[in-house]
């Protein structure tokens, strides 16, 4: 059994004193992130975006090539620990991007019943033209032909229609061109 009295030998020998508490040295702050540094890095990232090597590493992470991404990042940042840290940072960024896209695609239903029970907005009338009248039909056909003139001209040149064709046949052709173009745009969009 050990003695609890001060002794002149062993591990607890010498005169008992309290340690001086000194202010931490400035060199101990090396590597700590300050508010100003964080602000400046965030601002630069907002303006410039990701570096090209980070985009490449994120593409590797998207296809589950974690080991290749680590090797690639290690070539750029030179140490294994920093490369692992950067890989985790980029995978977290990818996860937040996926989460944001998912939230954008599947928005939460509105919790307020007042907004859901609002009547639909009234239809606005932008033009005094009536498509039922003959004058309105002629003006609308003219506007339609003017707006899609480039597409109609190309199609007419392909079909080599001459001036002997009637306005009705060229209008039917223009309508079919417009419908085909909208279908192609819808297919490209999906």
């Amino acid at each position: 059994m050990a003695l609890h009295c001060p002794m002149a030998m062993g591990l607890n020998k010498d005169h008992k004193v309290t340690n001086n508490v000194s202010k931490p040295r400035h060199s101990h702050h090396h590597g700590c992130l300050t508010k100003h540094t964080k602000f400046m890095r965030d601002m630069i990232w907002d303006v410039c975006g990701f570096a090209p090597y980070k985009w490449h590493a994120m593409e590797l992470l998207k296809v589950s090539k974690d080991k290749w991404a680590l090797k690639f990042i290690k070539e750029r940042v030179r140490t294994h620990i920093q490369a692992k840290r950067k890989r985790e940072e980029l995978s977290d960024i990818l996860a937040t991007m996926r989460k944001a896209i998912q939230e954008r695609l599947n928005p939460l239903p509105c919790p307020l019943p007042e907004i859901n029970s609002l009547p639909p907005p009234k239809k606005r009338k932008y033009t005094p033209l009536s498509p039922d009248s003959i004058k309105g039909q002629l003006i609308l056909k003219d506007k339609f032909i003017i707006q899609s003139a480039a597409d109609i001209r190309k199609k007419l040149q392909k079909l080599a229609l001459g001036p002997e064709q009637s306005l009705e046949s060229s209008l039917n052709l223009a309508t079919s061109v417009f419908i085909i173009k909208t279908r192609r745009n819808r297919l490209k969009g999906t």
Side-chain angles (χ1 to χ4, degrees), residues 78-89:
R78 288 290 177 204
T79 62
H80 187 70
I81 293 172
Q82 287 178 349
K84 288 198 299 187
R85 189 178 301 142
K86 185 66 72 175
R87 181 181 64 176
E88 288 302 315
E89 176 188 330

Side-chain angles (χ1 to χ4, degrees), residues 42-132:
D42 289 343
M43 185 189 306
I44 291 169
W45 184 83
D46 287 341
V47 173
C48 300
F50 291 112
Y53 85 93
K54 289 182 181 179
W55 280 114
H56 184 66
M58 285 195 294
E59 290 297 322
L60 289 172
L61 290 171
K62 280 181 188 176
V63 293
S64 301
K65 301 276 186 182
D66 294 352
K67 190 172 180 180
W68 282 104
L70 182 66
K71 285 183 177 183
F72 179 75
I73 295 169
K74 189 176 175 183
E75 289 176 6
R76 298 303 194 270
V77 297
R78 288 290 177 204
T79 62
H80 187 70
I81 293 172
Q82 287 178 349
K84 288 198 299 187
R85 189 178 301 142
K86 185 66 72 175
R87 181 181 64 176
E88 288 302 315
E89 176 188 330
L90 293 177
S91 62
D92 291 343
I93 289 171
L94 280 174
T96 55
M97 289 168 94
R98 279 192 212 105
K99 188 175 181 181
I101 290 171
Q102 194 66 23
E103 287 175 359
R104 199 176 307 144
L105 292 177
N106 299 327
L108 294 174
C110 185
L112 301 174
E114 303 90 37
I115 294 176
N116 290 335
S117 62
L118 287 176
K122 295 181 180 178
K123 292 183 180 177
R124 296 181 184 160
K125 188 173 183 180
Y126 291 103
T127 178
L129 293 176
S130 172
D132 298 331

